[in-house]
Amino acid sequence: MKKNVATLLLLMLVLIAGCSSNEVKNSNQEQSEKADEVEKSEDTNGAVAVDKGLLDVEITIPGSFFPDEDLNEVAANAKESGMKSATVNSDDTITYKMSKAKHKELMTEMKNNLVEYTDDLVSNDEFSSIKDITYDKNFKEFSMVVDQEVFENSFDGFAVLGLGMAGMFNQLFDGVHADKLDVTIHSVNEATGERIGTVNYPKDMEDLGENED
């Protein structure tokens, strides 16, 4: 089950490393700082930071997202794949720079992957208790319809972890500040329609991890 979660996050990271761009750079670089309205999201604990400028978007990712990888090689591969730039910083983070259009495309692909992931959870025999998953347009709230008895006597709860991580990942790349991350997953009894459990990320992440160990 943990493999499914890791696979989803890996797919999202591959999107970053593999983005190609045919964008033509805007030659007008002399916009005033006042005209360059910036939306910035950053986490001093090493989460993703998104800086949306007038022309480009910068995404900074901690090196911990690339275990056992040489960060300079990761950055070089990203640049070869079409990013405007990919820079390894002194704090072991990597900053990717792309056009706003490319960032929009990246977000669309990430959301499509998340939809595909939820569909896979429902159809995958490894998660036999999960019958349906619904979500809002921002992937902020999920409702997971389950066979309660099977769910409570299996490891299907790892699906909650995957949804929570994916939802937070999507919010981070969309510019939500790390302190404002908010993903809620409800478990609903298929037979009665009653809510049998609710987990909020990142609020309940530590407690959930302790319960699953």
Side-chain angles (χ1 to χ4, degrees):
M1 287 68 174
K2 288 183 178 179
K3 182 179 180 181
N4 294 69
V5 176
T7 299
L8 172 68
L9 298 182
L10 179 60
L11 284 172
M12 290 183 169
L13 290 174
V14 166
L15 284 174
I16 302 164
C19 276
S20 60
S21 175
N22 295 319
E23 308 284 342
V24 178
K25 290 186 177 180
N26 190 322
S27 61
N28 184 11
Q29 299 295 327
E30 298 181 355
Q31 303 286 345
S32 68
E33 291 186 1
K34 290 183 180 180
D36 187 10
E37 297 180 358
V38 174
E39 301 173 21
K40 189 171 185 180
S41 171
E42 59 183 20
D43 181 3
T44 56
N45 292 320
V48 179
V50 179
D51 190 351
K52 298 179 181 179
L54 186 65
L55 302 176
D56 300 312
V57 175
E58 292 186 356
I59 298 177
T60 299
I61 305 174
S64 58
F65 275 49
F66 305 96
D68 303 319
E69 296 285 342
D70 183 284
L71 296 185
N72 290 307
E73 184 175 344
V74 171
N77 290 338
K79 285 186 284 189
E80 290 176 2
S81 299
M83 285 287 181
K84 286 189 175 182
S85 65
T87 305
V88 178
N89 305 309
S90 60
D91 59 351
D92 290 331
T93 60
I94 300 179
T95 298
Y96 297 91
K97 184 176 182 179
M98 68 194 79
S99 69
K100 278 193 168 183
K102 180 53 63 179
H103 179 254
K104 183 178 181 179
E105 179 183 330
L106 173 63
M107 291 304 305
T108 297
E109 292 185 63
M110 287 179 62
K111 290 176 180 178
N112 288 341
N113 277 346
L114 212 164
V115 170
E116 185 177 339
Y117 175 65
T118 60
D119 290 343
D120 183 61
L121 289 177
V122 174
S123 62
N124 195 324
D125 291 338
E126 290 186 14
F127 299 93
S128 60
S129 72
I130 302 174
K131 305 304 179 181
D132 191 26
I133 299 175
T134 59
Y135 40 83
D136 62 11
K137 65 179 182 179
N138 296 319
F139 301 103
K140 183 177 180 179
E141 185 170 8
F142 297 82
S143 289
M144 191 167 64
V145 179
V146 302
D147 180 320
Q148 183 173 354
E149 183 177 357
V150 177
F151 182 75
E152 293 177 346
N153 291 281
S154 69
F155 291 100
D156 290 5
F158 279 115
V160 176
L161 173 64
L163 291 174
M165 294 296 293
M168 289 192 297
F169 201 94
N170 182 76
Q171 288 182 22
L172 282 167
F173 275 81
D174 205 23
V176 176
H177 193 282
D179 292 340
K180 302 296 184 181
L181 292 178
D182 183 17
V183 179
T184 300
I185 303 102
H186 304 293
S187 301
V188 179
N189 186 307
E190 178 189 26
T192 66
E194 295 180 357
R195 188 175 295 172
I196 59 176
T198 296
V199 177
N200 178 269
Y201 282 80
K203 180 181 177 182
D204 297 328
M205 183 185 297
E206 183 174 345
D207 292 339
L208 182 64
E210 291 175 355
N211 293 333
E212 291 177 344
D213 287 340

